[in-house]
Amino acid sequence: MYRNLWCAAALAAAVLPAQAQDPAREEVKILQQRVDELERRMQEPPARQQSENAFNPAVSAILNGVYSNLSQDPNTYRINGFVPTMGDVAPPRRGFSLGESELGISANVDHLFRGTMIAAIQPDGSGVEIEEAYLQTLALSRGFSVKAGRFFSAVGYQNQIHAHAWDFTDQPLVMKAFLGGQLNDDGVQVKWVAPTELYLDLGAEFTRGRGFPASDPNKNGAGAVNGFAHLGGDLGASLAWQTGLSYHVTSPRDRAYEDPQSGASNSFTGSSKLWAASGVLKWAPEGNTTVTNFKLQGEYFRRKESGDLTFDPAGVALTDGYASRQSGWYLQGVYQFMPQWRVGYRYDQLDSGSTSIGLVDSGALTAADFPVLAGYKPKRHAAMVDWSPSEFSRVRLQFARDDSRQGQPDNQVFLQYIVSLGAHGAHTF
Amino acid sequence: MRLLLFLLAFASVPAFAAVNVFACEPEWASLAQELGGDKVSVVSATTARQDPHHIEARPSLIARMRAADLVVCSGSELEIGWLPLLLTQSGNGRVQPGSPGYLEASRYVLRLEVPTALDRSMGDVHPGGNPHIQTDPRNIAKVARVLAERLAQLDAANAASYRSRADSFDKRWAEAIARWEKQAAPLKGVPLVQHHKGFTYLIAWLGMREVGNLEPKPGIPPTTSHLVELVDQMKQAPAKVIVYSSYDDPKAAQFLSQRSGIPNVMLPFTVGGSDRAKDLFGYFDDLLARLLAPLQ
């Protein structure tokens, strides 16, 4: 370090006579530049011996655990009026339980791509699930970007947000009923951001259709297609908003489900089309979120399914037409009333709408053979308060009254912690 | 489609300016305006009323990022919670880190408080050192030179204009620094308490002494127990002034002020943080005036 300084001083001295004809100011300026350069070099970290490690990606781990007190057995969880998704939608088990531990790794691959992998490690030893693993372009221009791999689909708003960043312990009922919890699929996403002052993006996803509402078809091409658009902007310095619309289309084949009430197994083949509209409004006084802020979020899902329903495919295998038009929505508000403390309320409602089952209409079977599909309007109230001592930790208490099961309201209490270790990526709007 | 055409026609970002500059913080927006004049169109992602650590990656910011030719930010992980997202979401290859359209100001100054050990139990520490470099005018001068060169590189046709404006700014700025240093002479050695480590560079420049922080750890909001400790500490060795920034909640500073009888002062965090801080010159004029006031 000192040798460098001496060298620079010697260099500067050598340069000085050559500049002698210039005004003294010029000399000072040159010296100043050299001093600046040295200062800059001095603070650079010393060359590392193990250069391979220097390129290690950002690693993060999310730990979460919950204590649940439920008035109904979570093993009997169902959403009456809706085809069971066979996904992971039930509340956590009663008592203490460890949630999924998330392990995230991300880094720029090179000057063109960024890679991200997020794995969920199941607490009961049932293995590791890849939640997301995708590469993303960095260098495309004109507003284009491409994602490839497994990623959360741009269906609605909250589906793209990782569980640790949700404002409530569990997801809205619309995600449980229409997306089987959370929809991540393998494929390609192309997105374009318009060159406008008002934010506008348009995008399309072509995916395999590996899970509900698709049925993982063994076929070439795309098993599911999703188109989406977002519009957003600011209203003054204190308010920001975003709206979104998406349309997800797939053609499930032999999508099987087990009726949780009768135990009968059934399967559906046909088409499933899902519209999702979302809106988010965030308020903070003059955009300063430190003391108080408010977030209002809502989504509306509408699904149309038509095709054939087969009763007991392994046994009697009776098949006839099936058509349903179903919808649901939720609205939630979360208010930070002082630093570190937030309160929130969410209201969920689903409408099983009109479902026509050919086997029942023809008299071959009765409605009692399809108990979970009987018309119903599930609803849920949830209220929470959470405390975040830093941006890396959060403790939450949530109360909910869940009327997903007809005639069996579930009073739920969750006490949850979520902490993040290591690198902490930026959160989307 | 009709809606799209409507939006394209009426909401397009004006394209007549040569260089679209996206500044993460107002000080860099102000500097880019000084150096670019009418050759640049500048937007600031944040204001002096906002905590630059905690900014929502709003859609409007992504839209602005998409149009940017040059991104100027403090760096040193100050914007880690929102800038990376704006960069990846914008689909703008011109401004990605490593390209000429991306400039991290803190790389060009001597950073203070570079931690020797990193552990989150120490609070929200920045591995690259304290990122709030804008409170020392000598740092502004260093960044000005780099920024002018970058503008000249991106917009070669107007390179001469950027360089001559930089020379002019350099001269006026050096004069202003000399004036401020003279004016601030009484502040040398004066002990102060600051809310966040937001004015560390200012304190170092003026030779003041930081004797406490209202935050128990960087980035952790003040707690009652910590404030009570500070009250005791102030009884033993009182500070001359308690400062908080234009985005901090003034409650903690007012509490300590009432209990200890030491005056509290709001300091603009950057350009736009007070009525007088309209540009970089006004910003330092106001900083010094506010610091000197309680000493008189």
Side-chain angles (χ1 to χ4, degrees):
Chain A
M1 202 70 83
Y2 287 104
R3 216 169 57 194
N4 278 350
L5 259 172
W6 283 115
C7 287
L11 247 171
V15 171
L16 280 177
Q19 301 284 330
Q21 67 270 31
D22 290 327
R25 237 186 90 74
E26 202 60 28
E27 293 166 18
V28 172
K29 204 170 161 186
I30 289 167
L31 272 173
Q32 177 68 43
Q33 277 170 2
R34 288 180 192 284
V35 171
D36 289 349
E37 174 61 19
L38 269 176
E39 277 184 349
R40 200 171 63 77
R41 277 195 209 157
M42 275 172 69
Q43 57 173 318
E44 278 169 9
R48 287 166 200 251
Q49 291 297 306
Q50 293 163 324
S51 58
E52 285 188 0
N53 268 339
F55 289 103
N56 273 350
V59 177
S60 69
I62 310 276
L63 309 180
N64 92 82
V66 61
Y67 172 79
S68 315
N69 197 316
L70 309 168
S71 68
Q72 299 286 340
D73 181 357
N75 294 318
T76 66
Y77 185 77
R78 61 183 182 268
I79 301 174
N80 273 117
F82 289 80
V83 171
T85 62
M86 308 310 283
D88 185 16
V89 297
R93 56 186 305 150
R94 287 162 149 173
F96 293 98
S97 64
L98 185 66
E100 285 176 355
S101 305
E102 238 179 72
L103 187 65
I105 294 176
S106 66
N108 287 344
V109 177
D110 53 22
H111 60 297
L112 296 181
F113 302 109
R114 179 170 183 79
T116 304
M117 186 187 85
I118 293 160
I121 302 163
Q122 306 297 335
D124 51 5
S126 62
V128 177
E129 196 213 340
I130 301 293
E131 281 197 333
E132 291 196 287
Y134 60 84
L135 58 87
Q136 199 170 11
T137 57
L138 291 173
L140 292 184
S141 255
R142 298 181 183 279
F144 282 98
S145 58
V146 177
K147 250 188 201 180
R150 177 174 299 176
F151 48 84
F152 286 127
S153 282
V155 173
Y157 172 73
Q158 189 166 326
N159 189 62
Q160 290 180 89
I161 298 174
H162 278 270
H164 74 262
W166 292 347
D167 292 322
F168 290 83
T169 304
D170 44 10
Q171 65 273 67
L173 288 184
V174 285
M175 285 175 67
K176 292 189 177 192
F178 296 108
L179 303 175
Q182 194 165 14
L183 181 62
N184 58 354
D185 213 341
D186 299 356
V188 181
Q189 180 195 75
V190 182
K191 193 177 88 172
W192 176 69
V193 179
T196 50
E197 211 164 321
L198 195 66
Y199 177 83
L200 169 70
D201 73 31
L202 301 172
E205 293 169 354
F206 303 91
T207 53
R208 188 173 97 211
R210 61 184 282 270
F212 192 90
S215 63
D216 205 352
N218 177 14
K219 68 165 202 166
N220 295 321
V225 177
N226 182 44
F228 62 88
H230 295 95
L231 197 63
D234 291 343
L235 292 168
S238 304
L239 278 174
W241 59 276
Q242 180 185 285
T243 56
L245 190 64
S246 69
Y247 186 49
H248 183 270
V249 183
T250 183
S251 301
R253 293 186 59 178
D254 302 324
R255 188 181 75 197
Y257 78 88
E258 190 180 306
D259 196 306
Q261 284 164 281
S262 67
S265 125
N266 305 289
S267 79
F268 170 75
T269 298
S271 75
S272 178
K273 296 169 181 173
L274 175 69
W275 282 100
S278 63
V280 184
L281 185 71
K282 291 189 183 182
W283 171 87
E286 294 184 64
N288 182 7
T289 57
T290 37
V291 183
T292 56
N293 61 70
F294 179 70
K295 179 183 181 188
L296 185 70
Q297 168 189 333
E299 293 184 72
Y300 173 75
F301 281 45
R302 185 170 189 84
R303 179 179 65 191
K304 193 178 157 189
E305 292 200 318
S306 64
D308 291 319
L309 188 67
T310 304
F311 177 78
D312 191 11
V316 294
L318 296 170
T319 299
D320 205 338
Y322 171 88
S324 71
R325 282 168 188 273
Q326 306 187 305
S327 64
W329 61 274
Y330 73 91
L331 191 66
Q332 69 183 45
V334 176
Y335 179 55
Q336 179 178 310
F337 57 97
M338 61 183 281
Q340 305 180 326
W341 288 90
R342 310 189 308 164
V343 288
Y345 171 76
R346 175 180 67 190
Y347 178 72
D348 283 280
Q349 189 176 309
L350 300 176
D351 183 354
S352 65
S354 66
T355 303
S356 74
I357 304 168
L359 290 169
V360 175
D361 297 341
S362 70
L365 292 167
T366 66
D369 291 307
F370 303 96
V372 80
L373 297 185
Y376 183 57
K377 287 185 181 172
K379 359 183 231 295
R380 181 175 63 175
H381 296 271
M384 72 88 188
V385 53
D386 66 23
W387 174 59
S388 312
S390 74
E391 53 192 302
F392 310 107
S393 62
R394 175 167 287 165
V395 179
R396 175 184 293 139
L397 179 64
Q398 177 174 322
F399 298 94
R401 184 179 170 88
D402 187 351
D403 278 307
S404 294
R405 307 169 179 86
Q406 190 165 15
Q408 296 172 12
D410 187 13
N411 294 316
Q412 307 169 332
V413 182
F414 301 111
L415 181 62
Q416 183 190 24
Y417 68 82
I418 308 166
V419 298
S420 98
L421 288 69
H424 194 70
H427 282 157
T428 48
F429 180 75
Chain B
M1 197 62 211
R2 189 176 288 175
L3 176 72
L4 180 63
L5 286 175
F6 170 81
L7 291 170
L8 286 174
F10 292 97
S12 290
V13 177
F16 41 78
V19 182
N20 279 317
V21 180
F22 179 104
C24 284
E25 290 86 16
E27 61 270 20
W28 311 127
S30 191
L31 187 59
Q33 198 65 64
E34 285 276 357
L35 302 174
D38 60 355
K39 305 286 190 288
V40 296
S41 160
V42 184
V43 290
S44 173
T46 60
T47 72
R49 291 279 298 124
Q50 298 170 346
D51 180 350
H53 305 82
H54 301 117
I55 297 296
E56 291 281 351
R58 304 192 306 275
S60 62
L61 295 182
I62 301 173
R64 286 176 193 169
M65 181 63 84
R66 187 215 188 277
D69 300 305
L70 174 61
V71 171
V72 190
C73 298
S74 290
S76 191
E77 302 213 310
L78 175 62
E79 302 95 354
I80 188 111
W82 49 283
L83 181 62
L85 209 80
L86 299 182
L87 287 167
T88 50
Q89 301 275 314
S90 65
N92 183 350
R94 298 187 303 271
V95 296
Q96 300 298 323
S99 57
Y102 180 81
L103 197 158
E104 263 185 25
S106 62
R107 290 187 50 157
Y108 302 93
V109 306
L110 182 63
R111 274 169 287 180
L112 303 176
E113 295 177 341
V114 179
T116 47
L118 280 175
D119 192 307
R120 290 253 166 84
S121 65
M122 302 184 298
D124 185 19
V125 289
H126 298 263
N130 187 316
H132 309 298
I133 60 166
Q134 82 280 4
T135 60
D136 181 344
R138 298 169 303 179
N139 288 344
I140 302 280
K142 286 173 193 166
V143 177
R145 267 182 293 220
V146 181
L147 180 55
E149 268 319 302
R150 202 59 79 84
L151 285 168
Q153 183 188 349
L154 291 170
D155 181 19
N158 292 312
S161 159
Y162 298 124
R163 292 196 176 110
S164 79
R165 290 187 77 104
D167 286 344
S168 150
F169 175 77
D170 211 37
K171 190 159 169 283
R172 285 180 293 134
W173 196 248
E175 286 162 10
I177 290 179
R179 175 163 53 84
W180 290 323
E181 286 179 346
K182 208 169 139 194
Q183 202 183 335
L187 292 169
K188 202 167 177 68
V190 167
L192 95 172
V193 171
Q194 59 169 342
H195 184 112
H196 176 66
K197 287 190 173 291
F199 296 99
T200 299
Y201 290 86
L202 176 77
I203 291 165
W205 170 49
L206 299 177
M208 299 180 80
R209 273 194 309 128
E210 181 199 83
V211 294
N213 292 113
L214 300 180
E215 290 180 341
K217 309 234 158 141
I220 307 294
T223 57
T224 317
S225 61
H226 178 66
L227 290 176
V228 168
E229 274 171 36
L230 277 175
V231 171
D232 288 343
Q233 189 194 325
M234 291 299 111
K235 277 180 193 147
Q236 308 293 321
K240 278 270 173 20
V241 60
I242 301 160
V243 302
Y244 62 97
S245 82
S246 45
Y247 72 77
D248 290 322
D249 187 0
K251 282 199 199 90
Q254 287 162 357
F255 174 89
L256 183 58
S257 191
Q258 276 164 11
R259 296 294 178 94
S260 63
I262 300 166
N264 70 88
V265 173
M266 186 284 277
L267 297 182
F269 191 59
T270 175
V271 175
S274 66
D275 290 343
R276 277 186 75 193
K278 284 192 169 55
D279 59 11
L280 285 163
F281 292 92
Y283 171 54
F284 284 98
D285 283 339
D286 197 37
L287 271 183
L288 294 190
R290 283 167 184 263
L291 275 174
L292 286 163
L295 299 183
Q296 268 137 36

